[in-house]
Amino acid sequence: MRYVAALDVGTTTIQFHILNEKAVTVASSTEKVNLIYPEPSFVEIDPNHLWQTIIKVIKDTLDHSGINPKNIACIGISSQRASFITWNLKTGKYYHRFITWKDQRAATLVKEWNQSIVMRGLRMGASILYTFTRRKRFLAGSVLKFMNMQVTLKLVWALQNVPGLREAVQNEEVAFGGVDCWLLYKLTGKHIMDVSSASATGIFDPFTMEWANWALNILKLPQSIFPEVVDTAGYFGVTPKDIFGAEIPIYCSMADQAASLFGSGCFKPGDLKITMGTGTFMNVNTGREPHASIAGLYPIVGWRIGKELVYVVEGSSSDTGVVIEWAKSIGIINNISETSDAANSVNDTDGVYFVPAFSGLQAPINDYTAATGFFGLKPTTKKEHIIRSLLESLVFRIQLLHECLCKETVFTFQKIKVDGGVTKNDFVMQSLADSTGLEVERPVSVEMSILGVAFLAGLQCGIWKSREELLELRQTDKIFKPNEESRLSHQYELRQWKRAVERFKNWY
């Protein structure tokens, strides 16, 4: 029996799984990621603690499995996107902790740059070029704005504020990388990043498939610090023997949402999946065509394997699992598993609406100054109404993204494949089906990022022969079918929720 190992370094947890030839997890271990909040709006991860936790998760899984590491044929790695670090290539010393994708320290820079004459000129020039060429790259450029989720201006902030970093850059001693790149460097000594992770930074141009010269030039970002961009699947090197007890080849490194898309079996253009974890990410396979949006959706690379290049259009909401954890921390929710029953115990929210905007409101609202809050509380409001309003708000955010997709793409969607911890909630899943009018397919295992990199690594080393074989290995837990009567009710509630959102916009 040969096995495939998969490591997922997420924002809230680190997981390591060992899967057999039927893609069934036979051993696994999970540890929480320790997020650090040194100042308001700062969200960091200590690299030394992260490394120690990764090693612990791997060794715990191996110890409990009883599997000989020599029987592990290969490993795939999935990681959170757009969290980054810089380190010294000579000494290995870090210049700062990981600055995560949820970090808001560059919010002022984002606002200033988006309103700047330079960016206005760039958008105007792109608009004129699109008029004459009709090229999608220029359509995307005509509405181009920096986002807080992206690396771009947080890297500018680091170069301006981290002691010694700018000087070390001038001496060409600095390496930049995301969690994936840093981890591969630690494991193999190579300074490389796969295309899916690179495209999520905001500094990589998915239309030209290279680091974006326009961004490097106007922001004065040094080309020398960036890693070589490589295919998503292939030979990355081997793991050190002292970690696994054997040198295991790494055959895949991939951004978590791209891995989730692949693990969900979304191999064809028009295939749609939604991940509901720390945040919500809606992804559609667009094939070889990058999508240009005017509403705030963005094109990224799903994967590149040899001559195969797959693009993805993505829309996101930063606050999903975060909302659940917050509600739990202040006592609104005692047991997360009970929230579905609590929400179903009342017929509606009693006119209460919740706006989930701890990190602002992303596409299509695109207001990073929005506030979080409840609207419509009254003496008759019960705890169950509040819980229902929290869960419904997560679905309403998805519905806004779904409306964008329907307007901006030519695809006809029949089904939503879901994954992530929040999708275990039946109320949320049924509400999603009723709201969108689409069937919602929940798998037995909701850890699709793990499955995605395991699938790709296993294909590379011959564990599995084809993608058709992978589709047969996927197991469905439940399919939620839309209820037309409930859909009409959801449409009314969505309109009311949009009114509440207007009250919380432009707050800060």
Side-chain angles (χ1 to χ4, degrees):
M1 175 68 79
R2 293 190 300 167
Y3 300 92
V4 177
L7 174 67
D8 177 40
V9 184
T11 310
T12 53
T13 60
I14 299 166
Q15 301 182 72
F16 186 71
H17 288 226
I18 300 175
L19 299 89
N20 62 20
E21 292 176 2
K22 293 183 178 179
V24 174
T25 294
V26 295
S28 65
S29 185
T30 303
E31 292 284 339
K32 284 213 170 231
V33 173
N34 182 34
L35 295 175
I36 302 167
Y37 304 89
E39 296 181 33
S41 78
F42 284 41
V43 188
E44 301 178 347
I45 298 173
D46 179 77
N48 293 321
H49 187 267
L50 185 65
W51 175 249
Q52 291 164 7
T53 307
I54 290 170
I55 298 301
K56 181 180 186 303
V57 167
I58 292 171
K59 291 192 171 179
D60 283 352
T61 308
L62 289 169
D63 290 346
H64 296 151
S65 71
I67 293 170
N68 186 334
K70 292 180 181 179
N71 291 331
I72 299 176
C74 55
I75 182 172
I77 299 172
S78 161
S79 58
Q80 59 179 283
R81 310 170 303 171
S83 298
F84 75 96
I85 194 168
T86 57
W87 68 93
N88 188 290
L89 285 167
K90 293 181 179 178
T91 66
K93 173 190 170 187
Y94 309 117
Y95 290 99
H96 53 85
R97 292 186 286 232
F98 277 103
I99 298 173
T100 73
W101 63 275
K102 290 187 69 64
D103 190 285
Q104 300 282 309
R105 73 184 65 195
T108 301
L109 278 175
V110 169
K111 186 176 181 180
E112 289 174 352
W113 269 98
N114 283 339
Q115 295 176 350
S116 68
I117 293 174
V118 172
M119 289 300 291
R120 288 177 182 175
L122 192 68
R123 289 192 287 267
M124 184 180 295
S127 180
I128 294 169
L129 287 170
Y130 176 70
T131 301
F132 288 103
T133 68
R134 312 309 289 179
R135 289 176 59 186
K136 287 185 177 181
R137 185 183 181 217
F138 297 129
L139 175 60
S142 70
V143 292
L144 179 68
K145 287 188 177 182
F146 293 115
M147 296 190 293
N148 281 314
M149 284 175 58
Q150 295 172 331
V151 169
T152 321
L153 287 170
K154 283 180 275 197
L155 178 56
V156 171
W157 182 95
L159 289 166
Q160 292 174 350
N161 291 278
V162 174
L165 180 56
R166 178 66 77 176
E167 293 78 5
V169 165
Q170 292 171 351
N171 295 328
E172 297 192 352
E173 298 174 351
V174 176
F176 156 89
V179 171
D180 60 305
C181 178
W182 164 83
L183 187 55
L184 287 170
Y185 186 80
K186 296 278 284 185
L187 292 171
T188 69
K190 298 178 181 178
H191 186 212
I192 55 178
M193 179 182 279
D194 104 285
V195 289
S196 67
S197 298
S199 72
T201 62
I203 314 173
F204 186 86
D205 189 333
F207 293 92
T208 62
M209 292 298 293
E210 60 185 17
W211 295 111
N213 285 323
W214 66 265
L216 302 185
N217 291 332
I218 68 171
L219 298 173
K220 296 181 172 53
L221 296 175
Q223 178 82 50
S224 63
I225 69 174
F226 291 97
E228 176 190 357
V229 178
V230 298
D231 281 5
T232 303
Y235 181 72
F236 286 81
V238 296
T239 60
K241 191 174 181 179
D242 62 335
I243 296 178
F244 285 88
E247 291 186 340
I248 300 174
I250 303 167
Y251 274 118
C252 175
S253 176
M254 200 173 196
D256 53 5
Q257 297 310 316
S260 168
L261 192 73
F262 196 91
S264 297
C266 294
F267 304 144
K268 298 181 299 184
D271 285 349
L272 164 65
K273 77 87 189 168
I274 294 174
T275 298
M276 298 184 74
T278 305
T280 289
F281 296 89
M282 177 180 281
N283 299 93
V284 177
N285 181 328
T286 61
R288 291 194 64 86
E289 288 293 320
H291 176 74
S293 171
I294 58 172
L297 306 179
Y298 42 93
I300 54 175
V301 178
W303 54 86
R304 186 181 69 190
I305 307 167
K307 293 182 179 179
E308 181 192 18
L309 175 61
V310 170
Y311 286 99
V312 175
V313 59
E314 179 172 278
S316 65
S317 172
S318 297
D319 299 313
T320 305
V322 174
V323 170
I324 304 296
E325 289 299 322
W326 166 78
K328 187 179 177 183
S329 71
I330 65 170
I332 295 176
I333 295 171
N334 296 321
N335 190 330
I336 294 174
S337 62
E338 297 173 358
T339 57
S340 186
D341 289 340
N344 277 318
S345 71
V346 290
N347 293 326
D348 53 39
T349 63
D350 192 35
V352 175
Y353 300 95
F354 179 73
V355 178
F358 291 120
S359 303
L361 292 167
Q362 294 73 44
I365 300 169
N366 300 311
D367 181 3
Y368 293 96
T369 65
T372 296
F374 290 97
F375 192 85
L377 294 170
K378 53 184 76 69
T380 55
T381 300
K382 298 178 181 178
K383 185 177 182 179
E384 290 77 10
H385 294 133
I386 289 176
I387 292 172
R388 185 171 177 128
S389 73
L390 287 169
L391 299 182
E392 284 189 351
S393 74
L394 306 181
V395 176
F396 292 150
R397 281 295 289 117
I398 293 174
Q399 180 59 16
L400 294 186
L401 293 171
H402 179 249
E403 289 174 358
C404 272
L405 282 177
C406 292
K407 289 177 184 175
E408 293 195 353
T409 67
V410 297
F411 302 116
T412 301
F413 304 110
Q414 305 293 337
K415 180 188 295 184
I416 300 173
K417 294 182 178 181
V418 297
D419 70 292
V422 179
T423 64
K424 294 176 183 177
N425 188 296
D426 282 5
F427 175 83
V428 172
M429 293 298 94
Q430 187 59 54
S431 297
L432 180 59
D434 294 341
S435 181
T436 60
L438 301 176
E439 288 189 356
V440 174
E441 180 187 297
R442 182 173 66 194
V444 170
S445 169
V446 296
E447 303 303 338
M448 284 298 109
S449 295
I450 285 283
L451 201 57
V453 293
F455 277 168
L456 269 172
L459 282 171
Q460 289 291 307
C461 68
I463 297 288
W464 300 295
K465 305 304 180 187
S466 68
R467 295 182 186 178
E468 289 71 28
E469 185 181 354
L470 300 182
L471 290 174
E472 292 177 4
L473 293 171
R474 292 190 75 251
Q475 295 178 307
T476 301
D477 170 48
K478 188 173 181 179
I479 294 177
F480 297 85
K481 296 182 179 294
N483 180 294
E484 188 59 33
E485 187 177 330
S486 296
R487 190 180 185 191
L488 294 173
S489 171
H490 271 280
Q491 288 173 350
Y492 170 77
E493 295 296 341
L494 177 62
R495 288 194 297 271
Q496 293 296 96
W497 180 79
K498 287 179 178 178
R499 290 181 62 207
V501 168
E502 290 300 318
R503 306 296 201 279
F504 288 93
K505 287 168 63 176
N506 303 309
W507 186 263
Y508 297 110

